[in-house]
């Protein structure tokens, strides 16, 4: 399906989109879910051609799909030089997810965007969480990088003993050095690793060094890979990245590259940072169970009662703790305030009622739990970029949405 003019794909009725994803990872499947959900929700006229980056024939399959023609592409972490080279000259809008080959930013003539995790924010979230667990003599980070920079910046200007183990633990020598590092750091210590896989090396090295996790060292990973985290001993606490949101943000960036903004001289390449989601508490960072249990009870209460007009003070009263403690623990575990979740759920309910019913807007607002109609309207416009009436018209009158192809 050759495209005669790849700079104007919006002239086609249905656009063909190439997705290069790591489908053997839960994150890759979550990204795919986020992309397809965005396309359905926004009524994008997209048809997907999915290539599994982890398949043995990924390069050949990608080349075949590209030769057939496409209108846009999204690709996960282009570390592979040969595949990155394919995209340098591929003349369609491209969104690179996670860490892409740096040459793409300056080498592509076609519109390009990068969507990646806000690594600095990941480090800061990890540092704040570990610090909240109690008194530690040392705070450490495994493997220098942007996440480590964010971790260190949290403690800037304070008299804190900070240690960094800079190697990528993949060799026997590095593992032996890590054992020595864990023995030497003053304890109790709190350590954050760059990824869950790196954190699993910390657990192995600690066991060999006679260092007890979490008694001697509280440990935190990143990515919340269920397989790695739950099979670790002890189970690994980790920062979750919302990969479904990641996919939705990438789809939004591609729509921008494909759409009318290009004709108005929009600048590219551009980068969109996605913040980390929350800390998922497990035994490697004990004592933390009370914080997790408190937050989970709060979340359950909010989900049951958000549309009933509750306030954050009502949640705290239900938990039997102060408002400040409830907010602190909820933010640590869930990554947002109690009020933020309450308002988000109310807005979701209002949007659902606008899509699925003919109830008057004022009654939608009341049924969704809002007490102040004007405030509700302002929050809705800020969240969805349009008024409630405009939202209802666009969702109830829009034509059919995306039609994904099956993976080959």
């Amino acid at each position: 399906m050759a495209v005669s003019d790849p700079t104007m794909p919006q002239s086609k009725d249905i656009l063909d989109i190439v997705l290069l994803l790591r489908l053997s990872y839960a994150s890759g499947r979550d990204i795919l879910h986020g992309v397809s959900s965005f396309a359905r929700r926004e009524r994008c006229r997209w048809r997907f051609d999915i290539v599994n980056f982890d398949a043995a024939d990924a390069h050949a399959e990608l080349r075949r799909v590209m030769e057939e023609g496409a209108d846009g592409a999204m690709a996960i972490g282009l570390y592979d030089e040969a595949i990155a080279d394919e995209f340098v000259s591929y003349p369609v809008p491209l969104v690179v997810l996670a860490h892409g080959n740096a040459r793409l930013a300056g080498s592509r003539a076609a519109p390009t965007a990068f969507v990646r995790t806000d690594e600095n924010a990941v480090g800061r979230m990890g540092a704040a969480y570990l610090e909240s667990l109690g008194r530690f003599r040392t705070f450490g980070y495994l493997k220098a990088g942007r996440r480590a920079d964010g971790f260190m910046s949290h403690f800037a200007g304070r008299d804190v003993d900070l240690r960094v183990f800079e190697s990528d633990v993949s060799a026997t020598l590095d593992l032996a050095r890590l054992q020595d590092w864990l023995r030497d750091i003053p304890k109790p210590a709190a350590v954050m690793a760059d990824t869950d896989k790196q954190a699993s090396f910390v657990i192995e090295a600690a066991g060999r060094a006679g260092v007890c996790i979490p008694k001697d060292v509280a440990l935190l990973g990143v990515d919340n890979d269920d397989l790695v985290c739950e099979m670790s001993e002890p189970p690994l606490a980790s920062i979750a990245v919302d990969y479904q949101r990641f996919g939705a943000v990438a789809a939004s960036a591609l729509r921008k590259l494909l759409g009318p903004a290009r004709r108005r001289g929009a600048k590219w390449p551009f980068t969109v940072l996605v913040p980390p989601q929350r800390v998922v508490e497990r035994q490697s960072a004990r004592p933390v169970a009370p914080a997790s249990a408190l937050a989970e009870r709060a979340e359950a209460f909010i989900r049951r009662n958000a549309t009933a007009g509750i306030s954050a003070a009502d949640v705290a009263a239900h938990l039997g703790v102060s408002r400040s403690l409830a907010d602190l623990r909820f933010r640590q575990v869930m990554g947002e305030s109690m009020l933020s979740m309450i308002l988000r759920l109310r807005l979701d309910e209002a949007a659902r009622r606008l899509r699925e019913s003919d109830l008057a807007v004022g009654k939608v607002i009341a049924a969704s739990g809002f007490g102040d109609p004007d405030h509700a309207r302002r929050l809705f416009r800020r969240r969805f970029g349009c008024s409630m009436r405009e939202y209802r018209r666009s969702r109830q009158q829009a034509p059919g949405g995306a039609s994904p192809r099956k993976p080959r």
Side-chain angles (χ1 to χ4, degrees), residues 195-273:
T195 64
D196 292 336
K197 183 177 181 181
Q198 293 288 312
S200 71
F201 285 117
V202 175
I203 292 175
E204 180 181 352
R208 294 183 182 186
V211 174
C212 180
I213 295 176
K215 181 181 177 181
D216 299 323
V217 175
L219 178 63
L220 179 67
V222 179
D223 283 339
N224 194 38
D225 185 317
D226 284 340
L227 187 61
V228 174
C229 294
E230 296 295 346
M231 292 189 68
S232 297
E233 185 55 46
L236 178 64
S238 183
I239 294 177
V241 177
D242 189 346
Y243 285 106
Q244 290 192 25
R245 180 181 179 186
F246 208 90
V249 170
S252 177
L254 182 61
R255 186 174 66 167
K256 181 176 180 180
L257 295 179
L258 289 166
R262 291 183 56 204
R263 295 195 297 269
R264 295 195 296 268
K267 293 184 179 180
W268 43 263
F270 60 86
T271 299
V272 182
L273 298 180

Side-chain angles (χ1 to χ4, degrees), residues 13-293:
D13 182 45
I14 297 180
L15 304 184
D16 292 298
I17 308 297
V18 175
L19 298 181
L20 177 66
L21 300 171
R22 294 184 181 277
L23 297 179
S24 57
Y25 287 70
S27 59
R29 297 189 294 275
D30 284 346
I31 288 172
L32 177 59
H33 180 78
V35 171
S36 61
S37 294
F38 176 90
R40 288 194 302 271
R41 184 173 67 250
E42 299 300 323
R43 302 293 192 263
C44 299
R45 304 284 291 175
W46 292 355
R47 179 170 52 228
F48 298 124
D49 212 325
I50 303 167
V51 179
N52 184 3
F53 190 68
D54 294 316
D57 62 345
H59 194 179
E61 176 68 4
L62 178 64
R63 175 169 288 182
R64 182 194 62 74
V65 169
M66 293 166 71
E67 287 175 350
E68 288 182 358
D71 302 294
M74 282 179 266
I76 187 75
L78 297 179
Y79 305 105
D80 185 288
E81 290 291 336
I83 289 181
D85 286 342
E86 295 282 357
F87 279 107
V88 168
S89 58
Y90 196 41
V92 301
L94 168 69
V95 175
V96 181
L97 299 90
H99 296 290
N101 187 296
R103 291 190 306 109
L104 290 171
S107 302
R108 294 194 86 240
T112 309
F114 296 86
V115 175
R116 60 181 177 82
T117 305
D118 187 338
E119 309 289 10
N120 202 274
V122 170
R124 294 196 306 273
M125 177 181 284
Y129 169 74
L130 290 173
E131 188 179 31
S132 76
L133 299 182
R135 290 185 173 273
F136 294 101
R137 295 179 62 191
T138 313
F139 289 89
Y141 199 95
L142 190 71
K143 193 174 183 290
R146 290 192 183 94
R147 292 176 180 176
D149 293 341
F151 186 89
M152 297 300 174
S153 71
H154 175 79
F155 300 101
R158 289 191 277 161
D159 185 17
V160 177
D161 186 357
L162 296 173
R163 310 288 180 98
V164 177
F165 186 86
E166 297 193 1
S167 292
D168 184 352
V169 183
S170 56
T172 302
L173 178 61
D174 290 329
L175 195 59
R177 289 179 50 238
L178 180 57
Q179 292 175 48
D180 294 337
W181 186 78
L182 289 169
R183 285 194 198 98
D184 292 343
I185 58 175
K187 301 173 183 67
V191 172
M192 179 175 173
D194 214 48
T195 64
D196 292 336
K197 183 177 181 181
Q198 293 288 312
S200 71
F201 285 117
V202 175
I203 292 175
E204 180 181 352
R208 294 183 182 186
V211 174
C212 180
I213 295 176
K215 181 181 177 181
D216 299 323
V217 175
L219 178 63
L220 179 67
V222 179
D223 283 339
N224 194 38
D225 185 317
D226 284 340
L227 187 61
V228 174
C229 294
E230 296 295 346
M231 292 189 68
S232 297
E233 185 55 46
L236 178 64
S238 183
I239 294 177
V241 177
D242 189 346
Y243 285 106
Q244 290 192 25
R245 180 181 179 186
F246 208 90
V249 170
S252 177
L254 182 61
R255 186 174 66 167
K256 181 176 180 180
L257 295 179
L258 289 166
R262 291 183 56 204
R263 295 195 297 269
R264 295 195 296 268
K267 293 184 179 180
W268 43 263
F270 60 86
T271 299
V272 182
L273 298 180
V274 180
Q277 187 178 24
R278 63 188 177 97
V279 175
V280 179
E281 295 184 314
R282 297 186 181 90
Q283 293 173 1
S284 71
R286 296 293 186 195
V288 294
S292 180

